[in-house]
Amino acid sequence: MPHLATAYALDFAVKRLVRRLVDHTDDDAREIEVLGAAYKAYTSRFAVDTLQCCREACGGQGYLSLNRIGPLRADADVFTTFEGANPVLLQLAAKGLLTEYRTQVGELGAWGMVRHLAGRASTALTELNPVVTRKSDEEHLRAPDFQLDALRYREERLLGTVARRLKSRIDDGLDSFVAMNECQDHLIALANAYVERLVLETFQQAVDDCADEALRAALTTLRDLFALAR
């Protein structure tokens, strides 16, 4: 069921990205490129993982050609590499997040930006962690504000911690390219958190825009499942 909820979430997100692409301007072209890279990597990995889950759920029957899981896996697997290998695209998205604040650091350059982010993170992370209160009642967990705040907090924390990791390496004289490679796992985690936060925001907007009450109730349940599974 979480896979089904994620399929709905990604459908809303990708369609919104396509609409933005159609109406894009030069000012938001770079942001759309980063989003496209992140969504491609996330959705193709999701497809592969979902098909594997389906295959295992079917036991030995999952190997039969009749159920089409095998051909679907063969088709989906290649997209984790086609049009850019997924780890490279996720690093691109993470670097996009790091450079998003370039205008705030003026002429300091890329690593001045990293230092700025590290300082920014130390301030942001003193704010309340929405998970730390350990509330577990249904009303709290299903509140859209809580769900978004939790994913925003995770993304912000990963952004700050990877910025500090990069800064410490640069300060020690490490080449920036090598520093990025050493923090690759952290950058990929940040990119995935970024995608999931954006996808949840889009899902929430779709729920808000839904005029059919019965459909809205069903979508709300799917949104909750997607958010809480994350």
Side-chain angles (χ1 to χ4, degrees), residues 12 16 199-210 223:
F12 285 124
R16 183 178 183 180
V199 168
L200 182 58
E201 287 181 346
T202 305
F203 206 159
Q204 180 57 46
Q205 188 63 54
V207 172
D208 292 342
D209 292 343
C210 182
R223 180 211 63 205

Side-chain angles (χ1 to χ4, degrees), residues 29 102 113 142 146 174:
R102 187 181 298 276
M113 170 202 62
R142 298 189 68 169
F146 161 73
L174 200 65

Side-chain angles (χ1 to χ4, degrees), residues 56-83:
E56 292 182 20
C58 293
Q61 298 287 329
Y63 290 105
L64 293 180
S65 60
L66 182 65
N67 63 35
R68 297 187 62 230
I69 293 176
L72 286 170
R73 284 179 61 183
D75 286 345
D77 182 67
V78 72
F79 289 109
T80 62
T81 303
F82 272 6
E83 299 300 336

Side-chain angles (χ1 to χ4, degrees), residues 20 23-33:
R20 287 194 61 186
D23 300 326
H24 82 281
T25 65
D26 291 342
D27 292 336
D28 59 6
R30 174 60 179 168
E31 181 184 358
I32 291 173
E33 178 186 359

